[in-house]
Amino acid sequence: MRILLVEDESEAARLIASLIGTAGFAVDRAASIAAAREAVAKTPYDLALLDRRLPDGDGLTLLAHLRAALPGVRVMMLTAMDSLDEKVSGLDDGADDYVTKPFQGEELIARIRACLRRPGGPPLAPIVAGALSFDTTTREVSIAGKIVALHRRELDLLEALIRRVSRVAPRETLFEEVFAAGFDVQDNALDTAVSRLRRRLDSLGAGVSIHTLRGVGYMLTEHVG
């Protein structure tokens, strides 16, 4: 899935793009309305994140252009303009969601996924690695075309890893996505969960490996050869 981030502040754009990328999405950045128009003329984005205070106008003015250029695109406002009237005007003008700054990273990613799942949005293609396929909409897992059942924690962990396939998933990120906030777990709980998932995938012939990067995190890759 490819996301267009329309944000003029360089540091904010870098942090947001890193957050989105870590969650498994491809992201391009435009620093102005004009640059965003050029971007959508070349790339079929699935979702756009729009700031409102841009150098050449209010990001809301992009909405109609986005809808015309990219039928089915989802649009989220991501802005410091947080008054009730501003939120209402953004939603009334056609935004699918309105997120105000500052925000929690986990919430933003959850809102992006929810926005993309809504009826009428672009279909989310399954993520495939080896013989393993993960449906990002239904969270259904299949191996070599056969649906398999995983325990909830195994499923949460697999989703966190496969969304970052061939990239390192930091331990802190995995803890946040696999274990409920405030849930008291031992330090080795993540390692135990990974070991169980690794054995399960091996026994099912998933064609993937989960690598341990000690002190850093884990990475899921396809078998080679």
Side-chain angles (χ1 to χ4, degrees):
M1 305 299 290
R2 183 164 290 276
I3 293 175
L4 175 64
L5 170 63
V6 187
E7 168 64 66
D8 64 313
E9 295 184 7
S10 297
E11 183 61 15
R14 184 187 68 80
L15 292 172
I16 296 168
S18 177
L19 175 68
I20 296 170
T22 299
F25 298 99
V27 58
D28 296 329
R29 180 214 172 187
S32 66
I33 292 172
R37 285 174 174 264
E38 291 180 8
V40 300
K42 302 174 183 177
T43 305
Y45 293 101
D46 302 294
L47 181 142
L49 290 174
L50 306 183
D51 192 6
R52 290 196 59 174
R53 295 191 179 107
L54 295 167
D56 48 354
D58 188 334
L60 278 180
T61 62
L62 264 176
L63 275 168
H65 179 78
L66 284 169
R67 299 294 189 204
L70 302 172
V73 70
R74 291 315 199 191
V75 181
M76 292 175 58
M77 308 310 300
L78 185 60
T79 174
M81 297 175 65
D82 60 359
S83 73
L84 178 60
D85 287 345
E86 288 163 342
K87 293 177 183 177
V88 170
S89 66
L91 294 169
D92 281 348
D93 282 356
D96 295 291
D97 200 356
Y98 197 107
V99 180
T100 58
K101 302 173 183 175
F103 55 86
Q104 294 294 320
E106 299 94 328
E107 180 183 2
L108 176 62
I109 297 304
R111 284 178 176 268
I112 287 173
R113 290 173 179 160
C115 199
L116 289 168
R117 284 196 300 266
R118 289 174 188 164
L124 300 178
I127 304 173
V128 178
L132 178 67
S133 176
F134 183 89
D135 190 311
T136 56
T137 300
T138 64
R139 303 184 80 213
E140 185 176 86
V141 178
S142 60
I143 294 176
K146 182 179 179 180
I147 295 174
V148 298
L150 298 176
H151 294 299
R152 179 174 178 178
R153 186 156 294 161
E154 292 176 333
L155 186 60
D156 291 343
L157 179 56
L158 176 61
E159 179 173 10
L161 290 169
I162 201 168
R163 284 186 179 276
R164 301 167 177 86
V165 63
S166 298
R167 293 184 292 120
V168 177
R171 290 183 62 87
E172 295 80 5
T173 300
L174 292 176
F175 261 111
E176 291 173 358
E177 297 188 13
V178 176
F179 300 102
F183 189 76
D184 187 21
V185 295
Q186 296 180 342
D187 291 341
N188 66 346
L190 178 61
D191 304 309
T192 300
V194 169
S195 294
R196 289 174 178 169
L197 178 61
R198 182 186 283 130
R199 289 195 299 271
R200 186 77 190 282
L201 295 178
D202 286 346
S203 69
L204 292 170
V208 297
S209 297
I210 301 176
H211 305 277
T212 301
L213 289 82
R214 296 196 178 281
V216 179
Y218 294 92
M219 180 169 61
L220 184 144
T221 63
E222 296 182 88
H223 287 170
V224 178

